[in-house]
Amino acid sequence: MATTAVSSASAARTAAIDAQAANKANAQKIITAMNAGSGVDIAALAQGLVDAERAPQENLINRNIAKSEAQVSGYAAISFMLKAMNDSLTALKDANSFNASSVSNSNAAALGVTASAGAAAGSYSVQVNSLALPQRSMSIGFASASTQLNSGDAFNLSLSINGAAATNISIGAGSDTPEGMVSAINSALLGVTAKLVNTGEASNPFKIILTGATGAAQAFMVANPTTTSPVSFSQSQAAANASISFGGVDYTRTSNTVTDIIPGLTLDLKTTTTTAVGVSLTRDTAAVKTKINALVTAYNDVNNILNEVSNSKSTLDTYGATLVGNSVVRQVRFQLREMLLGESSSPGTSVGALWQMGLSVDRTGVMTVDATKLDTALTTNFDDVVKTFTGNQNNRSATSPPYGTTAGFSSSTATLNAGEAFSLSLVNSSGTFSVPVPVGSTTPQGVVDAINASNQGFTAQLVQDSTSATPYKIMIMGGTGSSGFTLTAKDSTGTAVADFSFSANGSGIAGDAFRKISALLAADGPMLTQSANATTQADKLKATLEVLQTRMKALLDRYTQQFAAMESLVGSINSQKAGLKTSFDGMMSIYTNNN
């Protein structure tokens, strides 16, 4: 909506002056009509008076309707730009988004290489000595897939993996066929799969092929069952481990997918080699820079629309000057600066904020990138950049709150602080929240209960890690829209509780900002709720306008009736006036003639 220089107050004064002039003109019409004794244009007179009364009220209501509808347009414009910014944050919130690397491989047919974010740039030599293989065993041939093997009766097939106790696989009555055996073996889920093949041989072409998992420890043995027709298996391929050489060390693995030898690299072994395969890894920082520059552009787009909707002198069509002095605009502007200009909830050692990567905001709110500083940060502190943006996390959703965990405890009832009372201090961007843990509750479970009972925006639960000697940990989560937080525990003297340590797990600048913008755009967030309020207000004003129109119609009817009665009265008076004049004229004529 194009802006106008005429203020609401000025428009109201103009409407009032027009109404006064119309009332004066209508009053003059009545006086003139009565003096002249002529008929009055009742319809025009009544309509003029009604219009004079309706115009100021109608204009005010219409201006307010236009204002409310303009606010809806303003909120829609901001929401659109925030959604675009969230799209740019999506490309930066997961550690996997920084995985782009350029990998050169001297023998891709023998070795596949995939790099993750943690892979260090450099050159590597890998030789594939042998591949991991699964055991394969093949049955004797059968005439058909439905050949009965035990005269329709049930029988058992005994299967043992890596010398362990054998497991009996039951082949039910009526299923004593090659295809029945295949189904029973696969349904047993023992790690050995069966497949029925047709070899095309002239006689007994159907054979069962059994395949185990890769690795020498996955070798299996099938005992020939007792059946009326012979059933037996013979090994066609032995199970074996993979063997590769790297850095002068030979490594043995059970799989051809190797992830734990070269940090950050996944090796896919395809075939053996007689010489080492050369692998060179160059980190592709260009892709990361493109994503960061896209974020800067999206931020500036949001900042620009915020300026336009809040500027009373904006000339932008449809959206300009639609939210002048609006508190939501100020809230969004403040939150955006807080999201991107402060320190990350998961800072790296040398880089922990965007300004350290060369991103800055000038006094007009425009964000720029110092390309030299960004290149330096990506080249010398790449891992810090990843952690600063993502917290080294993946797949955090818009509703995933920041969280942290304590060190482990031996049990859920382990005694903390020697059984003495202590208090927890939870600190986030909203302030500091204290949670007392009284005597009798100084256990991991007691801490969880105390946090949940405090109703201060944090939730806690006790989780168990069965692989640890101290398996019980307290997981504490902040609210969906909140920032990262810290936790400390102190006794009544202010001394830290020694057996209570806490590690925060922030989502990084991109992860936290993604979550907060999603909260702004949520169904119960300020953008949609304020837009809905403005729509509701416009609907109420339209209803008020309809009431005004109904009232003005009734007023027009009343004026028309009153003026009709007035005209009838004036006509009667004028008729009497004419009759009297005629009588007086006659009397004067008689008087004059007699003289």
Side-chain angles (χ1 to χ4, degrees):
M1 178 182 66
T3 55
T4 175
V6 181
S7 67
S8 297
S10 176
R13 286 195 298 272
T14 300
I17 293 172
D18 291 343
Q20 290 175 358
N23 288 335
K24 183 176 181 181
N26 287 326
Q28 186 61 45
K29 283 183 181 180
I30 297 174
I31 294 172
T32 302
M34 293 184 69
N35 286 339
S38 61
V40 177
D41 187 347
I42 295 174
L45 178 61
Q47 188 66 57
L49 289 173
V50 169
D51 288 345
E53 183 171 347
R54 175 174 52 198
Q57 302 176 65
E58 186 178 53
N59 291 341
L60 178 60
I61 294 172
N62 282 328
R63 284 196 299 273
N64 287 334
I65 290 174
K67 180 179 178 181
S68 295
E69 291 178 341
Q71 287 177 344
V72 174
S73 297
Y75 290 126
I78 296 174
S79 297
F80 180 83
M81 292 303 180
L82 286 176
K83 176 61 169 61
M85 183 174 174
N86 239 15
D87 291 341
S88 69
L89 289 167
T90 300
L92 290 166
K93 73 182 181 67
D94 293 332
N96 287 341
S97 300
F98 293 79
N99 284 357
S101 297
S102 176
V103 179
S104 61
N105 182 348
S106 65
N107 191 349
L111 180 68
V113 182
T114 305
S116 67
S123 298
Y124 309 92
S125 295
V126 179
Q127 183 164 331
V128 183
N129 303 317
S130 63
L131 297 179
L133 300 172
Q135 177 182 330
R136 284 196 178 93
S137 295
M138 184 178 295
S139 74
I140 62 173
F142 307 104
S144 72
S146 57
T147 298
Q148 285 192 339
L149 305 176
N150 197 39
S151 301
D153 295 331
F155 66 92
N156 291 327
L157 184 69
S158 179
L159 178 64
S160 173
I161 298 177
N162 196 28
T167 300
N168 285 327
I169 301 173
S170 177
I171 290 84
S175 296
D176 59 325
T177 62
E179 60 186 4
M181 285 182 62
V182 167
S183 177
I185 293 169
N186 290 333
S187 297
L189 302 176
L190 296 178
V192 175
T193 58
K195 180 181 179 181
L196 187 64
V197 298
N198 184 347
T199 64
E201 297 176 11
S203 63
N204 298 326
F206 289 88
K207 294 183 179 183
I208 299 173
I209 298 177
L210 303 181
T211 304
T214 58
Q218 298 301 315
F220 60 87
M221 184 175 67
V222 181
N224 296 331
T226 301
T227 55
T228 56
S229 296
V231 177
S232 63
F233 291 86
S234 59
Q235 181 176 289
S236 59
Q237 176 178 285
N241 289 329
S243 173
I244 62 176
S245 298
F246 170 71
V249 179
D250 291 336
Y251 295 88
T252 299
R253 294 293 183 267
T254 60
S255 171
N256 290 319
T257 300
V258 181
T259 61
D260 59 347
I261 292 180
I262 305 176
L265 290 186
T266 297
L267 307 178
D268 181 17
L269 313 183
K270 300 177 181 179
T271 187
T272 59
T273 61
T274 56
T275 59
V277 178
V279 176
S280 178
L281 177 65
T282 304
R283 182 169 286 121
D284 183 9
T285 59
V288 176
K289 285 189 286 187
T290 298
K291 294 175 182 179
I292 292 175
N293 284 320
L295 173 61
V296 171
T297 299
Y299 176 89
N300 287 334
D301 287 343
V302 175
N303 182 66
N304 183 60
I305 196 63
L306 291 175
N307 288 339
E308 291 291 348
V309 300
S310 60
N311 180 8
S312 62
K313 297 181 179 179
S314 172
T315 58
L316 178 66
D317 287 344
T318 306
Y319 308 112
T322 55
L323 295 170
V324 177
N326 188 276
S327 62
V328 173
V329 174
R330 293 192 296 271
Q331 175 190 352
V332 172
R333 196 192 303 276
F334 173 78
Q335 287 198 25
L336 286 180
R337 288 178 175 269
E338 184 183 44
M339 290 174 201
L340 299 184
L341 301 185
E343 186 177 47
S344 170
S345 61
S346 57
T349 304
S350 300
V351 174
L354 294 187
W355 66 266
Q356 292 171 305
M357 303 177 202
L359 279 70
S360 60
V361 174
D362 63 21
R363 61 185 181 83
T364 64
V366 176
M367 181 177 285
T368 56
V369 182
D370 185 322
T372 301
K373 287 185 177 180
L374 181 57
D375 283 337
T376 300
L378 292 174
T379 302
T380 60
N381 295 291
F382 188 82
D383 291 344
D384 279 358
V385 172
V386 175
K387 186 177 181 182
T388 296
F389 270 110
T390 71
N392 289 332
Q393 298 179 39
N394 287 304
N395 303 318
R396 293 301 298 276
S397 71
T399 57
S400 296
Y403 68 95
T405 54
T406 63
F409 307 103
S410 59
S411 72
S412 62
T413 57
T415 300
L416 304 177
N417 199 36
E420 297 296 324
F422 60 92
S423 63
L424 303 175
S425 181
L426 292 150
V427 182
N428 65 13
S429 60
S430 298
T432 300
F433 306 92
S434 181
V435 178
V437 182
V439 173
S441 297
T442 56
T443 63
Q445 186 61 57
V447 169
V448 169
D449 294 340
I451 292 173
N452 290 334
S454 69
N455 294 321
Q456 298 195 54
F458 297 88
T459 57
Q461 59 179 305
L462 201 60
V463 296
Q464 187 174 3
D465 178 6
S466 59
T467 64
S468 173
T470 52
Y472 291 90
K473 291 185 177 182
I474 300 170
M475 176 178 283
I476 304 169
M477 290 170 283
T480 298
S482 66
S483 60
F485 61 93
T486 60
L487 179 144
T488 55
K490 295 183 179 180
D491 61 19
S492 58
T493 66
T495 304
V497 176
D499 51 5
F500 197 96
S501 61
F502 178 80
S503 175
N505 297 271
S507 300
I509 287 176
D512 291 340
F514 175 79
R515 189 181 64 253
K516 291 177 181 178
I517 290 177
S518 296
L520 289 174
L521 297 173
D524 58 350
M527 303 309 301
L528 288 180
T529 55
Q530 291 299 317
S531 180
N533 289 343
T535 299
T536 300
Q537 180 63 21
D539 290 341
K540 289 181 178 179
L541 289 168
K542 290 175 182 177
T544 301
L545 186 61
E546 290 180 1
V547 171
L548 175 65
Q549 301 292 7
T550 300
R551 186 162 59 83
M552 290 299 101
K553 182 179 182 303
L555 182 61
L556 177 63
D557 292 341
R558 180 161 60 86
Y559 280 166
T560 300
Q561 292 175 0
Q562 289 176 340
F563 291 153
M566 177 196 70
E567 186 176 26
S568 175
L569 178 61
V570 170
S572 175
I573 292 174
N574 285 338
S575 177
Q576 292 177 9
K577 173 184 173 184
L580 289 173
K581 185 177 183 301
T582 300
S583 297
F584 282 123
D585 287 345
M587 292 173 62
M588 288 297 297
S589 175
I590 295 172
Y591 177 77
T592 301
N593 290 333
N594 289 335
N595 290 325

